Structure formats: structure tokens, C-alpha cells
Amino acid sequence: FDPRHYLGTHCYGFPKTGPHRLRFLLESVKDLRETLKKKGSTLVVRKGKPEDVVRDLITQLGSVSAVAFHEEVREI
């Protein structure tokens, strides 16, 4: 979770991530984690700037050969 999405960011006067969207995201992540666990896998969830968190996770794991991501579309 990137804190920049939850701290005072506004689009057209509305918070980028309000309480209802945050609750939906948290419930979705929890459900995904439970589904993966039933299949013998796991889900890594971190809080921080993605550019820092991913770098630290790669360092921690040590044997990463590829990283895939998507970039959020930004408003002009």
C-alpha cells in the first residue's frame, strides 16, 4: 500500500481514496490472501513507496530474476 494514495490527495475536491474505497481494498486483499493460502501459496503485502518496498523485497529474497508491475495512469 502506497501511503501517497491515502494522505491528503484529492481529485476534483474528493479524496483519492476515501473510507469506502479503503475498506473495499482491505477486504479484497484479505480475500485474495485467504484464497491463495487455500491453494498453498501466499500474498506479500507491504506499506511504503513501491520503489523502496520492491527494492527491499528483492534484496531480502536474493534470487529474483524478473519483476512485473503496472503503472497507474496519471491525470493530465
Side-chain angles (χ1 to χ4, degrees):
F1 288 91
D2 187 341
R4 296 173 290 193
H5 289 214
Y6 308 97
L7 301 174
T9 57
H10 292 271
C11 296
Y12 305 107
F14 297 100
K16 185 170 184 171
T17 304
H20 300 291
R21 182 174 183 190
L22 179 58
R23 181 181 313 147
F24 172 77
L25 289 171
L26 292 172
E27 289 173 357
S28 297
V29 168
K30 180 181 176 183
D31 183 64
L32 177 58
R33 178 179 266 158
E34 290 170 0
T35 300
L36 290 170
K37 187 175 181 179
K38 289 176 187 174
K39 296 183 179 289
S41 190
T42 190
L43 178 66
V44 175
V45 179
R46 297 285 188 266
K47 175 183 164 191
K49 294 180 180 179
E51 56 270 25
D52 298 332
V53 171
V54 172
R55 182 194 63 231
D56 295 345
L57 189 57
I58 290 170
T59 301
Q60 179 185 354
L61 294 172
S63 62
V64 176
S65 59
V67 175
F69 67 93
H70 85 282
E71 184 175 355
E72 180 178 353
V73 177
R74 297 183 186 261
E75 296 179 36
I76 296 176

